[in-house]
Each structure stands twice: as structure tokens, then as C-alpha cells.
Amino acid sequence: MASACLPLLFKAVEIDGEHHWDGGYSGNPALHPLIYQTGTSDVLLVQINPIEHLELPHSGPEIMERMNEVTFNASLLAELRAIEFVRRLLAEGKLDARRYKSVRMHRIDGGAVLTPFGADSKMRADLAFVRKLFALGRTAGQEWLHAHRKDVGVRPTIKIAENT
């Protein structure tokens, strides 16, 4: 419930005596546990907030939506830069490979597909809309697998420096 609790719309959700809002403002998603608390070196990120827009927002709601996207992406972009930095230092032999992990990042970018829905769609939970999102996600996942299945376990498929 906390993950859907946006501070400008809802009061904090209490879980086990602690109050929480959506984690997008501080770490969304938190990649560190996926890297250092698992045995895999591949991480697949399904990104639903676009990193960039070609059009400038003009109205108040458009500006607020873009501010939320920038805020939600800031911690993710910082973590992606750190992952790439560690990968580079490991490749150059400047870090201890026993203490650091070379991660192969992969991304399914849903931002472009979801952009036409606009900010108000984030409040929709009707079954027809959820099914439409499911179908779009399945298509994007299948397209990604078709293009990159051979890269998993071999090389990253996202060039972090170009996307941050």
C-alpha cells in the first residue's frame, strides 16, 4: 500500500508502527539488494517512468507530472551511474572483485508506451485498463526477450552513460 501512497494525494500508510509514503522519492527501485543479496549478475529493470520527454510541459498538471518523473528517476539514475562506475573500475582492475560485483543491467523501457496515457491514468484501476496495461507489458517483454535473450549472462543491454 505504501508504494502507491503519493505524498501529494494520500496520508502516510502505517506498517508495523512506521509510517511510509511511496519510495520513489528516496529510492525507486532500490537496486542494491538485487545486486548484493542475490547470486545473479544480471538485473532486468522494467522502467515505467520516462527519462526524457520531447515536449515541454506547459500546464500546471503537466509540470507537476514532469517534476514527479524527474524526482522518481533521480535516485535510479544515480544508482545506474554508480553501477556503471563500479563495472568500469572492475574492468580496469582498480577494485577488488571479491568485494564488488560487475552487474549486467538490462531495461525494458515502458516510458514511451505509457506516455500517451498521461498522469491521470496512474489513478485508474478499472479492469479494462489494467488488462490493457498487462497486454502492453507482455508485448514489451516479448520484444525485449526477442532482441536481448542472448545477452543475458553475457553483456549488459543498457548503455548507462548514454541514458543518464
Side-chain angles (χ1 to χ4, degrees), residues 61-79:
E62 289 173 347
I63 293 168
M64 287 299 295
E65 176 63 13
R66 187 62 189 136
M67 284 176 42
N68 276 331
E69 290 169 356
V70 168
T71 302
F72 273 52
N73 283 328
S75 58
L76 171 65
L77 294 175
E79 205 161 358

Side-chain angles (χ1 to χ4, degrees), residues 117 120-134:
F117 293 112
D120 59 332
S121 69
K122 293 180 180 179
M123 304 301 276
R124 288 185 60 185
D126 59 278
L127 187 56
F129 185 63
V130 171
R131 285 184 172 152
K132 182 177 183 105
L133 292 176
F134 179 84

Side-chain angles (χ1 to χ4, degrees), residues 90-164:
L90 282 167
E92 294 171 359
K94 295 180 180 177
L95 283 180
D96 183 355
R98 294 171 298 183
R99 292 188 60 212
Y100 295 93
K101 194 174 189 179
S102 183
V103 177
R104 294 178 293 269
M105 285 299 302
H106 310 280
R107 178 179 68 182
I108 298 175
D109 185 2
V113 173
L114 299 175
T115 297
F117 293 112
D120 59 332
S121 69
K122 293 180 180 179
M123 304 301 276
R124 288 185 60 185
D126 59 278
L127 187 56
F129 185 63
V130 171
R131 285 184 172 152
K132 182 177 183 105
L133 292 176
F134 179 84
L136 289 170
R138 176 171 285 219
T139 299
Q142 290 171 338
E143 289 172 357
W144 187 89
L145 281 171
H146 179 73
H148 299 292
R149 181 186 317 241
K150 66 190 176 309
D151 298 314
V152 176
V154 178
R155 68 184 64 81
T157 58
I158 177 174
K159 301 226 185 308
I160 294 169
E162 292 175 9
N163 292 288
T164 58

Side-chain angles (χ1 to χ4, degrees), residues 32-45:
H32 191 272
L34 297 174
I35 295 168
Y36 290 102
Q37 294 177 14
T38 66
T40 185
S41 292
D42 289 271
V43 175
L44 174 60
L45 170 68

